[in-house]
Amino acid sequence: MLTVLAVSNYRSLRDLVVPLGRLNLVTGPNGSGKSNLYRALRLLADTAQSRVVPSLAREGGLQSTLWAGPESISRAVRGGDDPVQGTTRKHPVNLRLGFASDEFGYLIDLGLPPSGGSAFALDPEIKRECIWHGTKLRPSTLLVERRGPVVRIHGDDDWSLVSDSLAAFDSMMTQIADPRNAPEMLLLRESIRAWRFYDHFRTDAESPARLPQIGTRTPILGNDGSDLAAAIATRPPALMVLNEPETSLHPDLLPALARLIARVAQNTQVVVVTHAEKLIVPVEKTAGCNSIELEKKFGETSVVGLKALERPEWHWPGR
């Protein structure tokens, strides 16, 4: 189960670290950053499919997805004396995504390639990747690390080099993982591949969920919902993320959906992104619900009521 989600410099998510539970309800007014948090989770899932760079390209490239404000929000900006606007960068361009779980943690740091006149000069490159054991990244818990094209794995006694020529657009999650040299990476990759995301549920007559399907067990829930009943009954996904499911349902069905979400959360981790009051109220009443209300101040998304000292510990390693 994921315990922490961390995002840095992705759209309005300048420096967001969010605690996660078994059932997570993400709310907030329009424009607060709910969709950005959902997209950040999808980008993390794309690392296990070697699709993170193409996904960023479809969003308009790295420059289109970066936080456009200052690297840090000064006291003058917060006091209203200075406007919120971009300034000269002191640090390298980066977009960083990561999560911690009960067993393993993972992060990825993307940036721009060195200037050299390439036709792909604006395409993002993977600068850094790390996998560690436990909930916190420390030198003693680091299992696998990547710096540019170099990937090292920590063995019983020392580090061993497994690649020094990994392409800048390939994640080590897909190119290096194997059961002999990197079993932890393989286990984590397969766990991420089991995540499922839903932007909407089709309810028309031709929707996959309404059509007859072969009655058999399914190991992984399909994104189109065709094997929804079989997957929930036999092997639910490790993580199910629902983005505004109310957009494809009649309002009278939302209380029933809330009950189904509560039932599914008993066996799998669930993240629900919504602004529908008829869904929010019953889900919030579910035992153990982790309510995450987002707000945007000075162009930056933050969690309402989450104080600095209450924020989960998170460390971004240098390049």
Side-chain angles (χ1 to χ4, degrees), residues 3-318:
T3 57
V4 178
L5 171 67
V7 186
S8 175
N9 293 326
Y10 180 71
R11 299 190 183 275
S12 66
L13 311 182
R14 184 185 68 85
D15 183 22
L16 188 72
V17 181
V18 182
L20 298 177
R22 173 67 65 179
L23 172 58
N24 306 275
L25 180 65
V26 181
T27 62
N30 289 334
S32 60
K34 299 189 302 297
S35 295
N36 293 340
L37 187 144
Y38 172 77
R39 291 173 185 169
L41 263 173
R42 292 212 69 155
L43 282 174
L44 269 171
D46 285 340
T47 60
Q49 305 283 353
S50 198
R51 292 198 303 250
V52 64
V53 172
S55 294
L56 284 171
R58 285 193 296 271
E59 291 194 40
L62 184 62
Q63 298 284 42
S64 298
T65 61
L66 289 174
W67 159 253
E71 288 185 323
S72 61
I73 299 178
S74 65
R75 183 178 301 177
V77 171
R78 297 187 183 277
D81 298 326
D82 292 340
V84 181
Q85 60 184 9
T87 57
T88 302
R89 292 184 177 272
K90 299 179 181 178
H91 303 286
V93 172
N94 62 70
L95 188 163
R96 298 178 292 190
L97 310 163
F99 68 84
S101 70
D102 295 329
E103 195 168 4
F104 298 110
Y106 170 76
L107 65 82
I108 183 170
D109 179 353
L110 298 115
L112 294 174
S115 58
S118 169
F120 304 99
L122 296 180
D123 277 10
E125 287 188 349
I126 301 175
K127 304 292 186 179
R128 195 88 156 89
E129 288 181 280
C130 294
I131 295 175
W132 63 92
H133 176 68
T135 59
K136 297 177 182 179
L137 172 60
R138 296 190 180 97
S140 60
T141 62
L142 191 58
L143 298 173
V144 187
E145 71 163 354
R146 175 211 186 141
R147 290 180 183 267
V150 178
V151 181
R152 301 190 308 157
I153 295 178
H154 195 276
D156 294 333
D157 301 317
D158 203 354
W159 290 91
S160 60
L161 178 69
V162 293
S163 175
D164 60 1
S165 58
L166 187 62
F169 51 83
D170 282 330
S171 170
M172 68 178 188
M173 297 282 279
T174 55
Q175 301 299 315
I176 306 298
D178 69 77
R180 175 175 295 180
N181 296 321
E184 301 90 351
M185 192 187 309
L186 182 64
L187 181 64
L188 184 61
R189 185 190 72 185
E190 294 309 304
S191 174
I192 296 175
R193 286 183 174 181
W195 297 359
R196 283 299 174 264
F197 297 82
Y198 295 92
D199 294 297
H200 69 282
F201 288 107
R202 286 180 56 188
T203 57
D204 59 275
E206 300 299 322
S207 68
R210 287 179 176 267
L211 299 177
Q213 306 291 339
I214 297 175
T216 185
R217 294 180 175 86
T218 179
I220 298 177
L221 181 63
N223 282 320
D224 61 358
S226 58
D227 55 359
L228 181 63
I232 291 177
T234 58
R235 189 182 297 176
L239 174 67
M240 181 184 293
V241 187
L242 309 177
N243 185 39
E244 298 186 354
E246 66 272 10
T247 57
S248 57
L249 294 176
H250 191 280
D252 290 345
L253 293 176
L254 296 183
L257 175 61
R259 293 193 295 271
L260 180 59
I261 288 172
R263 178 181 175 184
V264 172
Q266 296 176 5
N267 300 308
T268 190
Q269 188 171 20
V270 180
V271 177
V272 183
V273 181
T274 180
H275 56 72
E277 199 67 20
K278 281 192 173 183
L279 183 60
I280 293 173
V281 172
V283 172
E284 279 186 326
K285 294 180 180 178
T286 303
C289 176
N290 177 36
S291 183
I292 304 168
E293 183 181 356
L294 301 180
E295 63 178 354
K296 185 185 287 185
K297 291 183 178 180
F298 312 106
E300 177 186 8
T301 295
S302 59
V303 179
V304 175
L306 184 63
K307 300 178 181 178
L309 294 178
E310 298 173 346
R311 196 172 97 151
E313 181 180 342
W314 186 266
H315 169 66
W316 297 109

